Amino acid sequence: MISLPLLLGLGLFFTDCFAFPLNEVEALTAFKRAIFEDPLLVLSNWNPLVSDPCNWSGVYCSNAGDHVVKINISDASIKGFIAPEFHKLSALQELHLHGNLLIGSIPKEIGLLTNLKVLDLGSNQLTGSIPHEIGNFTGIQKINLQSNVLTGKLPYELGTLRYLEELRVDRNKLLGTIPAANASDFSAVKHGMYASNASHLGFCGAYQLKVFDLSHNFFVGSIPGCLDYVPRSSFLGNCLQDKDPKQRPAAQCGAASLNKTHAGVNTKHRPVEDRPSGHQSRSSKPVWILVLEIVTGFLIGSLFVVAVFTIAHKWKRRPSIIIPWKKSSSTKDYMTMYIDSEAMKDVVSYSREELELACEDFSNIIGSSLDSVVYKGTMKGGPEIAVISFCIKEDQWTGYLELYFQKEVADLARLNHENTGKLLGYCRESSPFTRMLVFEYASNGTLHEHLHYGEGCPFSWTRRMKIIIGIARGLKYLHTQLDPPFTISELNSSSVYLTDDFSPKLVDFECWKTIISRSEKSSGTISNEGAVCILPSSMEGRHLDVQGNIYAFGILLLEVVSGRPPYCKEKGCLVDWAKEFLEIPDVMSYVVDRELKHFRYEDLKVICEVVNLCIHPNSCRRTTMRELCSTLENGIDTSVSAEMKSSLAWAELALGL
């Protein structure tokens, strides 16, 4: 029986938990989940089972301790995303996330924080546009979005924020004109004619701001007259029609600014009548001389055109891309590297706009790592997709990374098997800088999620066996039926995705890490002498680690059968734990997941035999995936009758314990 003190302790625990709003706890834990780097461990005590959220680092609650009113995690070097669930913090008044490495877009749900007074997201790496929902901050006093990579136009809704005193959006990539009414509308504002519709007036409908910084963006047009009170330093580094010489040069502002420079060009051309009289003397030449000059010029021009087309045709047969060899403070040195332009010709190319629309403005994040983010989306009239986006800045993207990206796309495109992920296409754009891969989406998530975080009943023994055989068939196809072979960069339960009927698909989402590591190793081996660089053999193909895949497959089998992760602090390495049970029939059943109601002993013996072959310390003694797959297919029974029989084996095990 449970002791009285234990019951009292549990009662106090649950009473304390439920005193704090559950939805606010969910919002805070969602934020923590969206952070994948926390080098200073500022979120280490964010655990609702251990302490009250009001005692968490950077979290401040109301005097009654029943709501979060302030979050301050500034200059903490955390890297991740702003979770949309933040809107559940309904009483939040201040959000300070300044000076971190936050990426992704500002979620539109943030506009539901109607009690917010301070929003400080400055000095991060946020992208996308400023959501229009920011106009819902009716009591906001300070907004700081400076030093990010925000794009798009400045929302007109900012003009409705009557209590706003400070707005900083400097050092971004914002475009368009500064939201404001024209002169007549501004005059009407003074007379109160637009009181009910100030949003159309932009900042001319707002009260005077104490701090207003729009510098170092790409705003065009003129500075509205209603902003005369703002210091001119707040508009520097834009593309505005201002006499201040500290605006951006026309070359950085695009066609809109370049058009202004053409206005004075024609004035330098003199009219026809001002030309020297010698110009007319040419018409006095004999007619036959003029005809001869025309014919000769025509022949020379024809020969020149033919020569140009011939050279162009030859160069098309040896296409090249120009890539930066090295970067310096002043200029870039370039070299030419020949690649096979035919590699990607049969792969679908998607635009960033298409994928952004399909993935709901890239807000539907289903996975992330240090180097990439995975989004879920639905193509218009098409399938569900998983989009993997590479997290890297344009100035860090070298020619070698571009080359590897193209080769990776070509390599992934040739995979066509029921147990491998299907590459649907790619996205490759320069403005904004984008490199993405588009895969067919598997609706049941990863095998890792089901084994370790699944809710409800665990996978049955038969289902686990079917998944194992499917993985084996996929690896057999990659290793033995493709020429050249293909290997998974990091084979584990997170690289196995499950379809509607729980059929496994191997997806190489970690190929980005391979691209970076191979680029770093290879870039130093290529000479920069001369104009042409020949591709060395170390870069010609994907790094093949067949034996590494086989070893990882053995660990994956143990993970599926036991339900334990490959490593945990309490029990250490899964392989070390399982070794003492694998070769002894009497204790072999200890490997099986205790959550299972039954298992089939004959299947377990086959699994243990294959695991021993996969993890043999001598890689030369490990067999091929063709043989391993055959052993599993011939030794494992996945029929319904086998599942019924296996319940007896589990009952015997329970009695033996």
Side-chain angles (χ1 to χ4, degrees):
M1 292 181 65
I2 300 176
S3 64
L4 181 60
L6 180 59
L7 287 173
L8 290 173
L10 289 173
L12 290 173
F13 172 76
F14 285 111
T15 301
D16 184 59
C17 284
F18 286 109
F20 198 87
L22 183 60
N23 59 335
E24 295 194 19
V25 176
E26 291 174 352
L28 294 171
T29 54
F31 173 72
K32 182 180 180 180
R33 285 197 303 270
I35 301 300
F36 49 81
E37 272 191 38
D38 183 14
L40 304 182
L41 302 178
V42 294
L43 305 179
S44 59
N45 67 338
W46 281 39
N47 188 343
L49 299 179
V50 176
S51 63
D52 189 303
C54 295
N55 297 323
W56 294 356
S57 300
V59 177
Y60 302 84
C61 293
S62 60
N63 293 331
D66 55 351
H67 290 290
V68 176
V69 295
K70 178 181 176 181
I71 294 177
N72 188 353
I73 310 176
S74 297
D75 301 311
S77 300
I78 58 173
K79 186 174 184 179
F81 306 90
I82 300 176
E85 289 84 354
F86 252 137
H87 76 273
K88 296 179 181 179
L89 302 173
S90 57
L92 190 67
Q93 297 178 18
E94 297 184 28
L95 178 58
H96 301 266
L97 299 175
H98 186 97
N100 288 294
L101 299 170
L102 298 176
I103 60 177
S105 59
I106 302 173
K108 61 184 179 181
E109 289 85 357
I110 204 170
L112 297 173
L113 298 174
T114 53
N115 291 312
L116 205 62
K117 294 181 180 179
V118 178
L119 175 64
D120 189 353
L121 304 178
S123 298
N124 282 284
Q125 298 174 8
L126 297 171
T127 57
S129 59
I130 301 174
H132 290 274
E133 287 77 7
I134 206 167
N136 296 332
F137 296 154
T138 53
I140 196 78
Q141 298 172 8
K142 175 182 175 181
I143 297 177
N144 183 3
L145 303 176
Q146 66 180 179
S147 300
N148 281 285
V149 201
L150 298 172
T151 55
K153 297 182 179 180
L154 206 58
Y156 269 91
E157 287 79 2
L158 289 169
T160 66
L161 306 178
R162 59 180 302 180
Y163 297 107
L164 185 62
E165 298 177 353
E166 181 177 329
L167 176 63
R168 298 180 185 271
V169 293
D170 53 293
R171 291 172 176 79
N172 280 284
K173 295 184 178 181
L174 297 172
L175 307 169
T177 58
I178 299 173
N182 56 37
S184 61
D185 290 333
F186 180 52
S187 176
V189 173
K190 293 181 178 179
H191 294 86
M193 294 173 61
Y194 284 98
S196 62
N197 198 16
S199 64
H200 293 291
L201 302 176
F203 293 106
C204 284
Y207 290 79
Q208 287 194 359
L209 301 170
K210 294 180 180 178
V211 179
F212 186 40
D213 197 345
L214 305 181
S215 61
H216 303 288
N217 281 283
F218 292 86
F219 290 115
V220 297
S222 59
I223 300 175
C226 63
L227 299 178
D228 286 341
Y229 70 93
V230 179
R232 282 300 178 262
S233 59
S234 296
F235 302 102
L236 298 180
N238 281 286
C239 304
L240 297 167
Q241 298 171 5
D242 191 79
K243 295 181 180 179
D244 194 316
K246 294 183 180 179
Q247 292 294 312
R248 290 183 183 272
Q252 295 182 13
C253 295
S257 295
L258 288 175
N259 288 337
K260 295 189 298 182
T261 64
H262 296 325
V265 173
N266 293 333
T267 62
K268 296 181 180 179
H269 292 282
R270 289 177 292 180
V272 176
E273 57 268 29
D274 290 338
R275 293 176 184 173
S277 58
H279 172 73
Q280 298 176 359
S281 63
R282 295 184 60 185
S283 61
S284 62
K285 292 181 180 180
V287 176
W288 66 272
I289 293 179
L290 292 175
V291 173
L292 181 62
E293 288 177 349
I294 293 172
V295 172
T296 303
F298 177 77
L299 291 174
I300 293 174
S302 300
L303 290 173
F304 177 75
V305 171
V306 171
V308 169
F309 275 103
T310 303
I311 293 172
H313 179 70
K314 289 183 177 180
W315 277 98
K316 282 183 179 179
R317 298 179 65 183
R318 296 187 69 185
S320 64
I321 58 172
I322 297 177
I323 61 176
W325 167 251
K326 60 182 180 180
K327 293 181 174 67
S328 61
S329 58
S330 57
T331 60
K332 293 180 181 178
D333 297 325
Y334 288 92
M335 58 175 288
T336 303
M337 177 179 290
Y338 293 104
I339 64 169
D340 183 10
S341 64
E342 299 289 300
M344 299 168 66
K345 70 173 185 178
D346 296 325
V347 188
V348 177
S349 175
Y350 293 96
S351 68
R352 180 185 173 89
E353 185 178 358
E354 285 180 277
L355 299 181
E356 190 172 12
L357 182 64
C359 299
E360 301 174 359
D361 295 330
F362 297 127
S363 62
N364 195 358
I365 301 169
I366 59 174
S368 64
S369 68
L370 295 178
D371 307 306
S372 59
V373 183
V374 184
Y375 305 95
K376 176 184 178 294
T378 304
M379 299 300 294
K380 187 175 181 180
E384 289 185 312
I385 58 173
V387 179
I388 175 172
S389 176
F390 193 24
C391 299
I392 192 170
K393 294 182 179 179
E394 185 174 4
D395 58 356
Q396 296 173 329
W397 186 262
T398 66
Y400 298 109
L401 287 178
E402 179 60 27
L403 176 61
Y404 280 127
F405 174 80
Q406 296 184 32
K407 293 180 71 65
E408 201 70 27
V409 169
D411 218 2
L412 291 167
R414 62 193 182 102
L415 306 186
N416 185 19
H417 188 271
E418 63 179 346
N419 295 119
T420 61
K422 182 176 180 59
L423 180 73
L424 300 178
Y426 68 99
C427 177
R428 180 170 166 262
E429 292 186 5
S430 57
S431 182
F433 182 78
T434 304
R435 294 295 183 274
M436 295 178 176
L437 297 178
V438 183
F439 286 88
E440 189 179 44
Y441 179 70
S443 59
N444 266 322
T446 66
L447 177 59
H448 181 86
E449 293 168 349
H450 284 275
L451 289 176
H452 308 300
Y453 302 105
E455 298 179 358
C457 297
F459 281 170
S460 67
W461 178 262
T462 301
R463 174 161 288 172
R464 298 187 194 210
M465 295 301 101
K466 289 180 179 179
I467 290 173
I468 285 174
I469 291 177
I471 296 171
R473 288 170 177 168
L475 288 174
K476 172 187 172 183
Y477 165 77
L478 296 177
H479 290 187
T480 65
Q481 297 176 14
L482 288 178
D483 186 21
F486 186 100
T487 57
I488 303 296
S489 303
E490 290 189 14
L491 179 61
N492 51 47
S493 57
S494 294
S495 63
V496 179
Y497 281 72
L498 303 174
T499 62
D500 290 337
D501 61 351
F502 295 97
S503 175
K505 284 186 176 290
L506 298 171
V507 181
D508 196 10
F509 278 168
E510 296 301 319
C511 61
W512 291 117
K513 294 181 180 179
T514 307
I515 293 175
I516 294 176
S517 62
R518 286 187 293 145
S519 174
E520 292 173 346
K521 292 177 182 178
S522 301
S523 60
T525 65
I526 301 178
S527 172
N528 61 341
E529 298 177 0
V532 178
C533 170
I534 304 301
L535 199 64
S537 59
S538 63
M539 293 174 61
E540 286 179 353
R542 158 185 277 263
H543 175 64
L544 295 177
D545 188 8
V546 174
Q547 292 302 321
N549 270 191
I550 291 175
Y551 185 89
F553 178 62
I555 298 176
L556 185 55
L557 292 183
L558 285 176
E559 185 177 355
V560 173
V561 170
S562 69
R564 298 188 179 190
Y567 179 83
C568 64
K569 292 182 179 179
E570 294 79 12
K571 298 179 181 178
C573 184
L574 176 61
V575 174
D576 295 336
W577 169 80
K579 278 182 179 178
E580 60 181 294
F581 306 127
L582 291 176
E583 298 179 357
I584 306 175
D586 292 340
V587 295
M588 193 178 292
S589 55
Y590 283 82
V591 177
V592 179
D593 188 351
R594 298 303 171 191
E595 294 293 324
L596 283 172
K597 294 181 179 179
H598 51 74
F599 75 99
R600 189 169 180 269
Y601 190 78
E602 290 77 11
D603 295 344
L604 180 61
K605 288 195 295 184
V606 175
I607 294 293
C608 292
E609 176 187 352
V610 170
V611 170
N612 281 322
L613 291 173
C614 291
I615 65 173
H616 197 284
N618 186 353
S619 60
C620 298
R621 296 282 299 275
R622 298 173 196 161
T623 186
T624 65
M625 277 310 305
R626 187 187 301 277
E627 294 170 339
L628 294 175
C629 186
S630 177
T631 300
L632 292 169
E633 288 176 327
N634 295 329
I636 292 178
D637 190 352
T638 58
S639 63
V640 177
S641 58
E643 186 171 5
M644 297 295 292
K645 293 176 183 178
S646 63
S647 59
L648 178 61
W650 187 257
E652 292 173 352
L653 175 64
L655 291 174
L657 293 176

